[in-house]
Amino acid sequence: MTTLSPTPRSTLTRKKDRAATDRERLYEVLDDGLICHLGLVLNGSPVVLPTGYGRDGDTLYFHGSTGAGNLRAAATGIDVCVTVTLLDGLVYARSLNNHSMNYRSAVVHGSARLVTGEEKMHGLHVVTEHLTPGSWDHARAVNAKELASVSVLALDLAEASVKIRAGEPIDEPEDMDSHEIWAGVVPVQTTFGEPIPAAYMPAGAPIPPHVRARG
Amino acid sequence: MTTLSPTPRSTLTRKKDRAATDRERLYEVLDDGLICHLGLVLNGSPVVLPTGYGRDGDTLYFHGSTGAGNLRAAATGIDVCVTVTLLDGLVYARSLNNHSMNYRSAVVHGSARLVTGEEKMHGLHVVTEHLTPGSWDHARAVNAKELASVSVLALDLAEASVKIRAGEPIDEPEDMDSHEIWAGVVPVQTTFGEPIPAAYMPAGAPIPPHVRARG
């Protein structure tokens, strides 16, 4: 488990000489993930919603309809928490208590800001290219009316933590000879299937390289 | 998009005659998911963390170390939000604005309660069998010391909402003849790989049926 930022909301266990490595790991988790979970406080209660996002350097962008209450609330500058989790494996140990998961997760705390103008279009670009690389140059551009219907928020990667569990189960000494109990890992992967054209695509239309590369 | 519970924190768009169907969908999303994201408010700020869970009827169980601050906070009966999201596809539309995701998400609001005694063991059973079916009967049982080191929380599925997006992209009339732009869906799946035995397993030991069935 590694941590990036020594604030009260982040864990404080990291060694300073690992900071650079940790930031690379943060980038890896954020770049490998597909969706994030955005948490904020609405009327005193926590709300956690799945959201698309993208990263450019040390900025995370996410977007949504201007009509979405959670986005409107986040845009006012209240604290948010954005979490990206990659489940890498199910860990079977000899004892139930040592069963675990292999995973990588990034947790980012901060106050998001509503972006406008050039940065708003840039944010949409980043979010689009994260989920559907190549679409920005292939599909019809956003027009003024569509742009107005979307909010784009930016969150600095200033206060973030990364947790990683990888590798074998860890069993108790008392269980090491219990070879009748299976111990190991079942890997978990996210995979993309064969692209399915929309019914309104002409029959036999080729699947473009950027879609083929994703699928 | 469907909603189960008409409270201010849930959306209010459902038709009453769909309530039964909606509950079935809630169960499906929760049962198909592997991990949840648990949100709560700590020191005024939202915190969202990935967590294992399991469902029994209308109760969601989740667990963690008694030393984990977020579990300790949740056990005091504060509001929590548990979200399970399944990403099913990347939706490529002809316009960037209509790009989307196919997904199923369940959002449960409520106040969790710390469970003890028989229900605590039952909760551990439910969580274990959700992630690693068959392990409860195969692996070494939890002993008293291990049981004391774990907190198990229960959350009633009383206030929950389900959102589902499925199927084709939805494009604007103005884009329907732009056949040079690809529209369709790239399916996203979670898959399990070949089980990897721990290094301390005897060479050639068979992989038990319950692990094989998962992998």
Side-chain angles (χ1 to χ4, degrees), chain A residues 183-199:
Chain A
V185 174
V186 172
V188 179
Q189 287 128 6
T190 297
T191 55
F192 300 99
E194 183 67 18
I196 303 166

Side-chain angles (χ1 to χ4, degrees), chain A residues 10-11 26 48 54 181:
Chain A
S10 303
T11 35
L26 173 67
V48 179
I181 306 176

